[in-house]
Amino acid sequence: MHWTEMLLPLVSGFALTIMAMPIVIGYFRTKQLGQTTREEGPKWHEVKTGTPTMGGVVFLIAAVISSSWVGVWQGNLTIGLGLLLFITLVYGLLGFLDDFIKIFKKRNLGLTSKQKLLGQIIGGIVFFSGYLINNLSTDLAIPFLGTIHLGWFYGVFILFWLVGFSNAVNLTDGLDGLVAGTASIAYSAYAIIAWQQQQTDVLIFCLSIIGSLIGFFFFNKKPAKIFMGDVGSLALGGGLAAVSILLKQEWSLLLIGLIFVVETASVMIQVTSFKLTGKRVFKMSPIHHHFEMSGWSEWRVVLTFWFIGLVSAALCLMVVL
Protein backbone atom coordinates (compact mmCIF):
# COMPACT_ATOMS: atom_id res chain seq x y z
CA MET A 1 0.00 0.00 0.00
CA HIS A 2 1.62 3.25 -1.17
CA TRP A 3 1.88 6.12 1.29
CA THR A 4 -0.44 8.27 -0.86
CA GLU A 5 -3.13 5.59 -0.53
CA MET A 6 -2.62 5.61 3.23
CA LEU A 7 -3.63 9.27 3.27
CA LEU A 8 -7.15 8.46 2.04
CA PRO A 9 -8.57 6.88 5.25
CA LEU A 10 -6.51 9.24 7.41
CA VAL A 11 -7.70 12.43 5.73
CA SER A 12 -11.26 11.14 5.27
CA GLY A 13 -11.68 10.33 8.96
CA PHE A 14 -10.18 13.67 9.96
CA ALA A 15 -12.30 15.72 7.53
CA LEU A 16 -15.61 14.04 8.41
CA THR A 17 -14.98 14.53 12.14
CA ILE A 18 -13.92 18.16 11.78
CA MET A 19 -17.02 18.97 9.73
CA ALA A 20 -19.59 17.14 11.88
CA MET A 21 -18.34 17.82 15.41
CA PRO A 22 -19.38 21.52 15.60
CA ILE A 23 -22.92 20.51 14.65
CA VAL A 24 -23.12 17.96 17.48
CA ILE A 25 -21.61 20.40 19.99
CA GLY A 26 -24.09 23.06 18.92
CA TYR A 27 -27.01 20.65 19.31
CA PHE A 28 -26.03 19.65 22.84
CA ARG A 29 -25.53 23.26 23.87
CA THR A 30 -28.87 24.31 22.41
CA LYS A 31 -30.67 21.50 24.25
CA GLN A 32 -28.57 22.18 27.38
CA LEU A 33 -27.52 18.56 27.53
CA GLY A 34 -24.16 17.76 29.06
CA GLN A 35 -22.14 15.51 31.30
CA THR A 36 -22.63 15.50 35.06
CA THR A 37 -19.40 15.35 37.04
CA ARG A 38 -19.20 12.54 39.61
CA GLU A 39 -19.55 13.70 43.21
CA GLU A 40 -16.58 11.55 44.27
CA GLY A 41 -14.39 13.08 41.56
CA PRO A 42 -11.90 15.93 42.01
CA LYS A 43 -13.68 19.15 43.04
CA TRP A 44 -11.95 21.16 40.31
CA HIS A 45 -13.67 18.97 37.70
CA GLU A 46 -17.01 20.53 38.64
CA VAL A 47 -16.36 23.27 36.07
CA LYS A 48 -16.74 20.55 33.42
CA THR A 49 -20.34 19.87 34.38
CA GLY A 50 -22.60 20.61 31.44
CA THR A 51 -19.90 20.01 28.81
CA PRO A 52 -21.39 18.17 25.81
CA THR A 53 -20.50 14.48 25.61
CA MET A 54 -21.03 11.52 23.25
CA GLY A 55 -18.48 12.97 20.81
CA GLY A 56 -17.46 9.38 20.16
CA VAL A 57 -20.56 9.03 17.98
CA VAL A 58 -19.04 11.45 15.48
CA PHE A 59 -15.53 10.04 15.22
CA LEU A 60 -16.79 6.44 15.18
CA ILE A 61 -19.18 7.13 12.30
CA ALA A 62 -16.39 9.02 10.53
CA ALA A 63 -14.02 6.07 10.99
CA VAL A 64 -16.59 3.50 9.87
CA ILE A 65 -17.50 5.51 6.75
CA SER A 66 -13.84 6.09 5.90
CA SER A 67 -12.87 2.43 6.43
CA SER A 68 -15.82 1.25 4.33
CA TRP A 69 -15.44 3.48 1.29
CA VAL A 70 -11.65 3.17 1.18
CA GLY A 71 -11.99 -0.60 1.62
CA VAL A 72 -14.38 -0.76 -1.33
CA TRP A 73 -12.27 1.65 -3.41
CA GLN A 74 -9.08 -0.35 -2.88
CA GLY A 75 -10.71 -3.79 -2.96
CA ASN A 76 -9.97 -4.48 0.70
CA LEU A 77 -13.49 -4.87 2.08
CA THR A 78 -12.53 -8.17 3.73
CA ILE A 79 -14.01 -10.31 6.48
CA GLY A 80 -11.21 -9.03 8.71
CA LEU A 81 -12.25 -5.42 8.16
CA GLY A 82 -15.86 -6.45 8.67
CA LEU A 83 -14.99 -8.00 12.04
CA LEU A 84 -13.18 -4.84 13.12
CA LEU A 85 -16.10 -2.63 12.13
CA PHE A 86 -18.56 -5.01 13.78
CA ILE A 87 -16.90 -5.09 17.21
CA THR A 88 -16.31 -1.33 17.11
CA LEU A 89 -19.96 -0.64 16.32
CA VAL A 90 -21.35 -3.15 18.85
CA TYR A 91 -19.21 -1.84 21.70
CA GLY A 92 -19.90 1.70 20.54
CA LEU A 93 -23.65 0.96 20.64
CA LEU A 94 -23.37 -0.30 24.22
CA GLY A 95 -21.58 2.91 25.16
CA PHE A 96 -24.16 4.94 23.27
CA LEU A 97 -27.03 3.35 25.20
CA ASP A 98 -25.18 3.97 28.47
CA ASP A 99 -24.57 7.64 27.59
CA PHE A 100 -28.07 8.11 26.19
CA ILE A 101 -29.72 6.89 29.40
CA LYS A 102 -27.48 9.14 31.51
CA ILE A 103 -27.90 12.28 29.41
CA PHE A 104 -31.36 12.07 27.89
CA LYS A 105 -33.16 9.93 30.48
CA LYS A 106 -31.42 11.68 33.41
CA ARG A 107 -30.44 8.38 35.05
CA ASN A 108 -26.92 8.69 36.47
CA LEU A 109 -26.09 4.98 36.34
CA GLY A 110 -26.96 4.35 32.69
CA LEU A 111 -26.74 0.66 31.81
CA THR A 112 -25.94 -1.64 34.71
CA SER A 113 -22.53 -3.31 34.76
CA LYS A 114 -24.22 -6.68 34.14
CA GLN A 115 -26.07 -5.35 31.09
CA LYS A 116 -22.87 -3.93 29.61
CA LEU A 117 -20.93 -7.11 30.33
CA LEU A 118 -23.63 -9.25 28.71
CA GLY A 119 -23.58 -7.06 25.61
CA GLN A 120 -19.78 -7.20 25.45
CA ILE A 121 -19.78 -10.99 25.77
CA ILE A 122 -22.44 -11.45 23.07
CA GLY A 123 -20.49 -9.14 20.76
CA GLY A 124 -17.32 -11.12 21.50
CA ILE A 125 -19.01 -14.45 20.75
CA VAL A 126 -20.22 -13.18 17.37
CA PHE A 127 -16.72 -11.82 16.67
CA PHE A 128 -15.15 -15.22 17.47
CA SER A 129 -17.73 -16.98 15.27
CA GLY A 130 -16.75 -14.77 12.35
CA TYR A 131 -13.11 -15.36 13.22
CA LEU A 132 -13.58 -19.14 12.96
CA ILE A 133 -15.60 -18.87 9.73
CA ASN A 134 -12.63 -17.02 8.24
CA ASN A 135 -10.40 -19.98 9.27
CA LEU A 136 -8.04 -17.75 11.24
CA SER A 137 -5.48 -19.20 13.62
CA THR A 138 -6.45 -20.11 17.17
CA ASP A 139 -2.80 -20.19 18.25
CA LEU A 140 -1.56 -17.75 20.87
CA ALA A 141 2.03 -16.59 20.46
CA ILE A 142 3.89 -15.70 23.65
CA PRO A 143 7.27 -13.97 23.27
CA PHE A 144 10.31 -16.07 24.26
CA LEU A 145 8.02 -19.00 25.15
CA GLY A 146 6.63 -20.04 21.78
CA THR A 147 3.14 -20.70 20.45
CA ILE A 148 0.27 -22.35 22.29
CA HIS A 149 -2.57 -23.99 20.35
CA LEU A 150 -5.77 -23.10 22.22
CA GLY A 151 -8.48 -24.28 19.83
CA TRP A 152 -11.91 -23.41 21.21
CA PHE A 153 -10.31 -21.98 24.36
CA TYR A 154 -9.02 -19.18 22.14
CA GLY A 155 -12.61 -17.95 22.16
CA VAL A 156 -12.44 -17.55 25.94
CA PHE A 157 -9.23 -15.57 25.52
CA ILE A 158 -10.88 -13.36 22.87
CA LEU A 159 -13.77 -12.58 25.22
CA PHE A 160 -11.36 -11.71 28.02
CA TRP A 161 -9.26 -9.54 25.70
CA LEU A 162 -12.17 -7.65 24.14
CA VAL A 163 -14.05 -7.05 27.39
CA GLY A 164 -10.90 -6.27 29.36
CA PHE A 165 -9.45 -3.66 27.05
CA SER A 166 -12.75 -2.00 26.18
CA ASN A 167 -13.26 -1.40 29.90
CA ALA A 168 -9.60 -0.41 30.37
CA VAL A 169 -9.85 2.40 27.82
CA ASN A 170 -13.16 3.41 29.38
CA LEU A 171 -11.47 3.77 32.79
CA THR A 172 -8.69 5.86 31.24
CA ASP A 173 -11.13 8.39 29.78
CA GLY A 174 -11.13 10.93 32.60
CA LEU A 175 -9.04 13.90 31.46
CA ASP A 176 -9.26 16.22 28.47
CA GLY A 177 -7.38 14.70 25.53
CA LEU A 178 -6.00 11.73 27.48
CA VAL A 179 -7.63 8.89 25.55
CA ALA A 180 -7.62 10.80 22.25
CA GLY A 181 -3.83 10.93 22.50
CA THR A 182 -3.04 7.52 24.00
CA ALA A 183 -5.43 5.72 21.64
CA SER A 184 -3.98 7.57 18.62
CA ILE A 185 -0.50 6.38 19.65
CA ALA A 186 -1.70 2.80 20.13
CA TYR A 187 -3.53 2.66 16.78
CA SER A 188 -0.49 4.23 15.08
CA ALA A 189 1.72 1.44 16.43
CA TYR A 190 -0.67 -1.17 15.08
CA ALA A 191 -0.87 0.66 11.75
CA ILE A 192 2.90 0.19 11.43
CA ILE A 193 2.63 -3.51 12.30
CA ALA A 194 -0.26 -3.96 9.84
CA TRP A 195 1.76 -2.21 7.11
CA GLN A 196 4.76 -4.44 7.84
CA GLN A 197 2.54 -7.54 7.67
CA GLN A 198 0.83 -6.21 4.52
CA GLN A 199 -2.58 -6.57 6.17
CA THR A 200 -4.09 -3.69 4.26
CA ASP A 201 -7.59 -4.13 5.66
CA VAL A 202 -6.36 -3.71 9.25
CA LEU A 203 -4.15 -0.79 8.16
CA ILE A 204 -7.14 1.00 6.60
CA PHE A 205 -9.12 0.58 9.81
CA CYS A 206 -6.30 1.88 12.02
CA LEU A 207 -5.66 4.90 9.79
CA SER A 208 -9.38 5.77 9.72
CA ILE A 209 -9.50 5.69 13.52
CA ILE A 210 -6.32 7.78 13.81
CA GLY A 211 -7.60 10.47 11.43
CA SER A 212 -10.93 10.62 13.22
CA LEU A 213 -9.25 10.86 16.64
CA ILE A 214 -6.98 13.67 15.50
CA GLY A 215 -10.05 15.55 14.30
CA PHE A 216 -11.76 14.88 17.63
CA PHE A 217 -8.75 16.08 19.61
CA PHE A 218 -9.18 19.63 18.26
CA PHE A 219 -12.44 19.76 20.24
CA ASN A 220 -11.38 17.55 23.16
CA LYS A 221 -8.11 19.23 24.15
CA LYS A 222 -8.19 21.22 27.37
CA PRO A 223 -10.53 22.95 27.95
CA ALA A 224 -12.65 20.33 26.23
CA LYS A 225 -15.62 21.50 24.18
CA ILE A 226 -16.93 17.92 24.12
CA PHE A 227 -16.13 14.54 25.71
CA MET A 228 -16.08 11.24 23.85
CA GLY A 229 -18.33 9.42 26.34
CA ASP A 230 -18.58 5.65 26.79
CA VAL A 231 -19.65 5.37 23.16
CA GLY A 232 -16.13 6.36 22.16
CA SER A 233 -13.98 4.75 24.85
CA LEU A 234 -15.64 1.31 24.85
CA ALA A 235 -15.44 1.15 21.05
CA LEU A 236 -11.80 2.25 20.94
CA GLY A 237 -10.78 -0.37 23.51
CA GLY A 238 -12.67 -3.15 21.77
CA GLY A 239 -11.19 -2.08 18.44
CA LEU A 240 -7.63 -2.17 19.81
CA ALA A 241 -8.12 -5.68 21.20
CA ALA A 242 -9.61 -6.86 17.89
CA VAL A 243 -6.72 -5.36 15.91
CA SER A 244 -4.13 -7.12 18.09
CA ILE A 245 -6.02 -10.40 17.57
CA LEU A 246 -6.21 -10.10 13.77
CA LEU A 247 -2.53 -9.19 13.57
CA LYS A 248 -1.70 -12.20 15.80
CA GLN A 249 0.18 -9.86 18.13
CA GLU A 250 -2.15 -10.18 21.10
CA TRP A 251 0.59 -9.87 23.73
CA SER A 252 1.72 -6.57 22.20
CA LEU A 253 -1.34 -4.77 23.58
CA LEU A 254 0.12 -5.11 27.07
CA LEU A 255 2.95 -2.81 25.94
CA ILE A 256 1.25 -0.71 23.28
CA GLY A 257 -1.69 -0.22 25.64
CA LEU A 258 0.47 0.04 28.77
CA ILE A 259 -1.34 3.16 30.01
CA PHE A 260 -4.69 1.37 29.82
CA VAL A 261 -3.24 -1.61 31.69
CA VAL A 262 -1.82 0.60 34.46
CA GLU A 263 -5.07 2.56 34.80
CA THR A 264 -7.04 -0.67 35.21
CA ALA A 265 -4.49 -2.15 37.62
CA SER A 266 -4.69 0.98 39.80
CA VAL A 267 -8.46 0.54 40.18
CA MET A 268 -8.09 -3.17 41.00
CA ILE A 269 -5.36 -2.46 43.57
CA GLN A 270 -7.38 0.36 45.13
CA VAL A 271 -10.56 -1.70 45.46
CA THR A 272 -8.75 -4.79 46.76
CA SER A 273 -6.72 -2.83 49.30
CA PHE A 274 -9.78 -0.97 50.61
CA LYS A 275 -11.84 -4.16 50.96
CA LEU A 276 -9.06 -6.09 52.72
CA THR A 277 -7.47 -3.38 54.88
CA GLY A 278 -9.82 -0.42 54.78
CA LYS A 279 -6.94 1.68 53.42
CA ARG A 280 -6.40 3.22 50.00
CA VAL A 281 -3.13 2.85 48.09
CA PHE A 282 -3.80 5.86 45.87
CA LYS A 283 -5.33 9.22 46.71
CA MET A 284 -7.90 8.42 44.02
CA SER A 285 -8.23 5.91 41.23
CA PRO A 286 -7.90 5.52 38.28
CA ILE A 287 -4.30 6.60 38.72
CA HIS A 288 -4.54 9.76 36.58
CA HIS A 289 -6.68 11.23 39.39
CA HIS A 290 -4.00 10.27 41.93
CA PHE A 291 -1.50 12.52 40.16
CA GLU A 292 -4.07 15.30 39.95
CA MET A 293 -4.67 15.01 43.70
CA SER A 294 -0.88 15.15 44.17
CA GLY A 295 -0.79 18.60 42.60
CA TRP A 296 -0.08 17.82 38.95
CA SER A 297 -1.89 19.96 36.39
CA GLU A 298 -4.23 18.20 34.01
CA TRP A 299 -1.94 18.94 31.07
CA ARG A 300 1.08 17.55 32.93
CA VAL A 301 -0.71 14.27 33.60
CA VAL A 302 -1.93 14.00 30.00
CA LEU A 303 1.46 14.79 28.43
CA THR A 304 3.28 12.42 30.81
CA PHE A 305 0.88 9.58 30.01
CA TRP A 306 1.20 10.30 26.28
CA PHE A 307 4.98 10.13 26.60
CA ILE A 308 4.86 6.82 28.49
CA GLY A 309 2.46 5.42 25.90
CA LEU A 310 4.76 6.56 23.08
CA VAL A 311 7.87 5.02 24.66
CA SER A 312 6.17 1.70 25.46
CA ALA A 313 4.71 1.52 21.93
CA ALA A 314 8.15 2.23 20.43
CA LEU A 315 9.73 -0.50 22.57
CA CYS A 316 7.07 -2.94 21.43
CA LEU A 317 7.68 -2.07 17.77
CA MET A 318 11.39 -2.73 18.27
CA VAL A 319 10.55 -6.24 19.49
CA VAL A 320 7.93 -6.98 16.83
CA LEU A 321 9.74 -5.53 13.83
Side-chain angles (χ1 to χ4, degrees), residues 158-264:
I158 280 182
L159 290 179
F160 171 77
W161 218 235
L162 291 172
V163 173
F165 274 95
S166 64
N167 290 326
V169 175
N170 185 236
L171 285 172
T172 306
D173 184 30
L175 301 178
D176 297 352
L178 179 56
V179 166
T182 50
S184 294
I185 292 168
Y187 275 100
S188 296
Y190 280 122
I192 294 171
I193 296 174
W195 174 77
Q196 189 264 342
Q197 292 187 4
Q198 296 185 349
Q199 290 207 46
T200 310
D201 50 354
V202 179
L203 177 57
I204 289 172
F205 175 78
C206 289
L207 292 173
S208 297
I209 292 285
I210 295 165
S212 301
L213 278 175
I214 293 172
F216 173 70
F217 177 71
F218 279 90
F219 303 94
N220 184 240
K221 67 181 187 299
K222 186 175 176 63
K225 296 181 177 67
I226 191 169
F227 303 134
M228 68 171 60
D230 287 0
V231 59
S233 56
L234 287 176
L236 288 174
L240 276 174
V243 165
S244 72
I245 290 166
L246 291 180
L247 293 176
K248 299 309 298 176
Q249 296 289 344
E250 300 92 341
W251 69 270
S252 65
L253 192 48
L254 296 174
L255 261 181
I256 289 176
L258 180 62
I259 290 297
F260 310 129
V261 174
V262 171
E263 293 272 25
T264 305

Side-chain angles (χ1 to χ4, degrees), residues 19-53:
M19 289 188 294
M21 197 65 75
I23 299 173
V24 174
I25 293 173
Y27 172 80
F28 271 82
R29 285 179 174 169
T30 301
K31 299 294 183 179
Q32 295 184 328
L33 297 169
Q35 180 161 303
T36 302
T37 306
R38 293 186 308 166
E39 291 182 5
E40 64 270 24
K43 296 302 180 184
W44 51 88
H45 279 206
E46 291 177 0
V47 298
K48 299 183 180 186
T49 297
T51 301
T53 187

Side-chain angles (χ1 to χ4, degrees), residues 122-141:
I122 292 173
I125 291 173
V126 176
F127 176 90
F128 181 55
S129 300
Y131 187 90
L132 290 178
I133 292 172
N134 205 25
N135 294 317
L136 296 173
S137 172
T138 54
D139 293 345
L140 181 65

